[in-house]
Amino acid sequence: MLSLIFAFALSVSAISSPLVRAEESPRYTWKDIVGIPGGDIHSPRISPDGLRLFVNQHTAGGEKLLTSVDNGATWSVYSPPVSTSAMAMDRSGTKLVASWFNQDFLYLSTNSGSSWTKTPSFAGIVNTLPRISPDGSILTACNRYLQVKVLYVSMDNGATWLQKGSECPDYVLNDGKMIRINSDNSIRRSNDYGLTWSTINTDRSRRAAFSYDGQSAFDGENVSLDGGVNWNPTPEVPPRSSNNNIYAKGISNDGKRMFVTFIPASPSDSESPMMVSSDGGKTWQKWGDEGFRGIADMSADGSRIFALSGDPPGVTTRLATLPTPPSVTPGGAGSGTSGAATPSTGSSSSGTSTTAASSSTSNKKPEKPSNLAETGNSIWLVSGLAVVAVVAGGLALRKRP
């Protein structure tokens, strides 16, 4: 096959970098989840692997836990022994742990909430918020509401508990690593199951959110990719309505995907939409045109975001999915199909199965200026020259030596 390679000079007065690639990151697709049974739902969560959705529901008969493995089309309804609105889960959403006020034990489920067992007491600690590591091997209980903190750790599903340090972790990672964020927003880490702690950062003006692996962190306008030690501003500040402050946020393990929600400074101020980014904060996308007032949760890789906004009966529940990019063969046109990742169906459950419907919420791409004509092909600018190869009637990239 003969290749004709030609180069032509382009004006680069508007180009500040000697090497720029004209391409866009994939954007989230949002779908409304409607018809969730029972109505009065709250506390949306998604398992870190992105394959299971959870919501809680207030009913006359008590708190219910609903879970779905098909993007919210059908739901299994369970009756946990206590509210699971603050439960913790492992990566797959199979192992769940919950607690309630004035209890010195935890409730543990190993089948996504279908059944629960009570752990032995951990020495009189009450009012704890339980934590669990992503691999499910570590449980923690800590009396965070008392002046003197005591941390207990279990590595056998709560059968036995070991007393460790006197600080309560906000994030429990694998291999005994933990992260704590103090009231002054300083960040502390432990590498020995919470026995000892060290401060790694003291210059945060707002509370940070960490990824599931603890490597990336986001405070709404700044990102850390080294576990919270060093920080840099996002390339673009997430847009918001006037007089709105940063509220909740989330970030993927690789630090490229994130979301941020806002809260009006006063009741008279308008609410901002939730903003999401799939390219490290270079561009931001709205979850919809309406303001957001609720809770959102992100999978570990950031490919899925589950969000709930509003108060019953006007609740909006929405799921975002990031398209799976096609595989690319060097020198070829690429292969594979682009589309949303399909979750596994999971194991069968004994809960009541009910059906909900989904509807698409479209978000129009904003116009993006370009210094080159958009042809659907990538074009590299190298020191002011665009180097393009024509192969069998198509464009193929050739990088100038």
Side-chain angles (χ1 to χ4, degrees):
M1 180 181 297
L2 296 177
S3 299
L4 174 62
I5 303 177
F6 63 93
F8 55 91
L10 293 174
S11 171
V12 291
S13 59
I15 304 298
S16 60
S17 172
L19 184 61
V20 178
R21 188 172 187 176
E23 64 179 11
E24 291 183 353
S25 296
R27 292 167 62 84
Y28 286 98
T29 298
W30 289 91
K31 286 187 177 181
D32 283 350
I33 300 176
V34 297
I36 298 177
D40 190 2
I41 58 173
H42 60 95
S43 305
R45 278 140 301 160
I46 188 169
S47 58
D49 65 6
L51 302 182
R52 188 179 291 271
L53 307 179
F54 295 88
V55 293
N56 284 84
Q57 180 184 85
H58 294 305
T59 69
E63 188 88 356
K64 302 294 184 182
L65 176 65
L66 284 65
T67 179
S68 174
V69 293
D70 55 10
N71 297 330
T74 61
W75 295 83
S76 296
V77 183
Y78 301 123
S79 299
V82 295
S83 172
T84 54
S85 58
M87 71 180 183
M89 71 181 73
D90 67 353
R91 177 173 176 79
S92 66
T94 302
K95 184 180 291 186
L96 313 177
V97 59
S99 66
W100 197 239
F101 297 107
N102 299 320
Q103 293 179 342
D104 61 353
F105 55 86
L106 303 180
Y107 284 104
L108 179 69
S109 174
T110 57
N111 51 17
S112 301
S114 177
S115 61
W116 298 79
T117 58
K118 188 170 67 173
T119 70
S121 172
F122 32 77
I125 297 177
V126 296
N127 299 336
T128 179
L129 288 179
R131 297 286 184 261
I132 187 171
S133 59
D135 63 7
S137 65
I138 304 170
L139 302 180
T140 67
C142 192
N143 60 335
R144 63 177 57 243
Y145 299 119
L146 299 180
Q147 185 173 2
V148 179
K149 306 289 190 298
V150 180
L151 172 64
Y152 277 81
V153 174
S154 175
M155 289 174 279
D156 54 9
N157 287 335
T160 60
W161 294 88
L162 300 174
Q163 184 176 343
K164 293 294 184 177
S166 58
E167 299 189 40
C168 297
D170 292 290
Y171 299 87
V172 174
L173 313 176
N174 294 334
D175 303 319
K177 299 177 181 179
M178 301 180 184
I179 300 173
R180 169 180 169 80
I181 303 174
N182 288 333
S183 58
D184 63 357
N185 300 318
S186 60
I187 302 170
R188 290 171 62 77
R189 295 185 74 110
S190 173
N191 295 318
D192 55 6
Y193 296 88
L195 183 62
T196 61
W197 295 79
S198 59
T199 301
I200 62 169
N201 187 281
T202 59
D203 64 357
R204 296 294 89 214
S205 61
R206 64 175 66 91
R207 188 178 180 87
F210 278 80
S211 59
Y212 282 100
D213 64 0
Q215 190 61 32
S216 300
F218 178 47
D219 71 0
E221 291 182 346
N222 303 277
V223 173
S224 172
L225 300 179
D226 59 4
V229 178
N230 298 292
W231 293 76
N232 291 295
T234 56
E236 294 291 335
V237 175
R240 72 192 87 163
S241 301
S242 59
N243 296 324
N244 269 242
N245 300 315
I246 291 172
Y247 184 56
K249 48 266 178 184
I251 189 168
S252 60
N253 286 345
D254 64 6
K256 294 180 180 179
R257 298 155 183 178
M258 56 194 76
F259 73 84
V260 58
T261 69
F262 309 94
I263 186 170
S266 70
S268 61
D269 295 319
S270 61
E271 296 173 341
S272 292
M274 177 170 65
M275 304 301 297
V276 296
S277 176
S278 60
D279 55 12
K282 296 176 184 177
T283 60
W284 292 91
Q285 174 189 353
K286 295 187 295 185
W287 89 307
D289 291 329
E290 69 270 47
F292 183 87
R293 176 170 43 88
I295 299 174
D297 197 20
M298 173 183 276
S299 61
D301 66 359
S303 64
R304 296 161 70 79
I305 302 172
F306 187 36
L308 183 151
S309 176
D311 298 316
V315 169
T316 299
T317 309
R318 203 166 280 172
L319 178 66
T321 304
L322 199 62
T324 303
S327 58
V328 177
T329 303
S335 61
T337 58
S338 178
T342 302
S344 68
T345 57
S347 59
S348 60
S349 64
S350 59
T352 304
S353 180
T354 53
T355 303
S358 296
S359 62
S360 237
T361 300
S362 62
N363 289 296
K364 185 178 179 181
K365 278 190 180 182
E367 297 285 333
K368 184 176 180 181
S370 175
N371 293 305
L372 296 174
E374 293 290 336
T375 63
N377 297 276
S378 296
I379 299 175
W380 288 85
L381 299 183
V382 185
S383 300
L385 294 178
V387 183
V388 183
V390 179
V391 181
L395 289 177
L397 179 65
R398 292 292 187 272
K399 189 173 180 180
R400 194 182 71 170

